[in-house]
Amino acid sequence: MEYTLSDPEVISSLPTDWTQWAGAIVGAILVGLTGVLPLWVVPAKLGGTTSSPGSDDNLKYLLAFAVGGLLGDVFLHLLPETYQHMIDSGEEEGLGRIGIAVLTGILTFLVLEKLLEMSNPETNEAVREKENKKIVGYLNLFANCTDNLLHGLAVGTSFLSSFRLGVTTTAAILLH
């Protein structure tokens, strides 16, 4: 299979028709809309106009559930699977690189957040706290854009490989 895909004659003769391009564009749009769709569907508050403190904020509970799900997926599924793959392939010296990559990602966003908070010249504490929340929002937006870029690359390349693989990849990304 590798020889077939790396042969220059085969690569130049692989046809790309309009259905692959249309599928790639539609798949990328669907994957991009998954970040916006919950804002339209899920209400931010429960109970309509009631202002009781217990049922006031549905968004906090949904965010807590989402963060718990993501952390559980990372620490109980993705990292152990990555370590197991490195052990199975015989690359035990690469185990430290995985840990360093994870810590680098975490520390990069932590340092970036703290630098942006320290650069805020506001002296009023209430206004400063509100602006610092905006900084966290922008960092989250940056992370989401990076994630959507990688998803779009996966969808586009899988559709250009085959339409069936593209539909499967798009479905897998939409369900994760």
Side-chain angles (χ1 to χ4, degrees), residues 1 3 13 23 35-36 39 62 77 79 93 105 110 112 121 125 154 162:
M1 184 82 168
Y3 177 75
S13 67
V36 178
L39 295 175
L62 291 173
H77 176 69
L79 282 177
E93 67 274 356
L110 179 70
L112 189 57
E125 193 61 36
S162 77

Side-chain angles (χ1 to χ4, degrees), residues 142-175:
F142 174 69
N144 195 16
C145 288
T146 305
D147 184 53
N148 284 339
L149 173 71
L150 296 175
H151 285 161
L153 289 174
V155 167
T157 55
S158 63
F159 266 108
L160 291 178
S161 177
S162 77
F163 190 80
R164 186 175 183 181
L165 179 64
V167 170
T168 305
T169 304
T170 303
I173 289 173
L174 288 175
L175 292 175

Side-chain angles (χ1 to χ4, degrees), residues 63-81:
L63 284 173
F65 179 74
V67 168
L70 288 172
L71 288 175
D73 186 39
V74 166
F75 290 112
L76 299 175
H77 176 69
L78 294 175
L79 282 177
E81 187 175 316

Side-chain angles (χ1 to χ4, degrees), residues 67-174:
V67 168
L70 288 172
L71 288 175
D73 186 39
V74 166
F75 290 112
L76 299 175
H77 176 69
L78 294 175
L79 282 177
E81 187 175 316
T82 305
Y83 280 120
Q84 189 61 47
H85 176 71
M86 295 296 280
I87 291 170
D88 291 344
S89 66
E91 296 183 41
E92 280 87 13
E93 67 274 356
L95 294 174
R97 286 185 293 161
I98 296 170
I100 289 173
V102 170
L103 289 176
T104 302
I106 292 171
L107 291 175
T108 299
F109 274 90
L110 179 70
V111 167
L112 189 57
E113 177 186 356
K114 294 304 174 190
L115 283 174
L116 290 173
E117 284 179 359
M118 288 187 324
S119 67
N120 188 356
E122 184 63 46
T123 57
N124 186 350
E125 193 61 36
V127 175
R128 183 179 176 95
E129 187 67 29
K130 186 176 179 181
E131 289 180 3
N132 286 345
K133 285 183 182 179
K134 287 182 183 179
I135 291 171
V136 173
Y138 287 132
L139 288 173
N140 190 0
L141 181 64
F142 174 69
N144 195 16
C145 288
T146 305
D147 184 53
N148 284 339
L149 173 71
L150 296 175
H151 285 161
L153 289 174
V155 167
T157 55
S158 63
F159 266 108
L160 291 178
S161 177
S162 77
F163 190 80
R164 186 175 183 181
L165 179 64
V167 170
T168 305
T169 304
T170 303
I173 289 173
L174 288 175

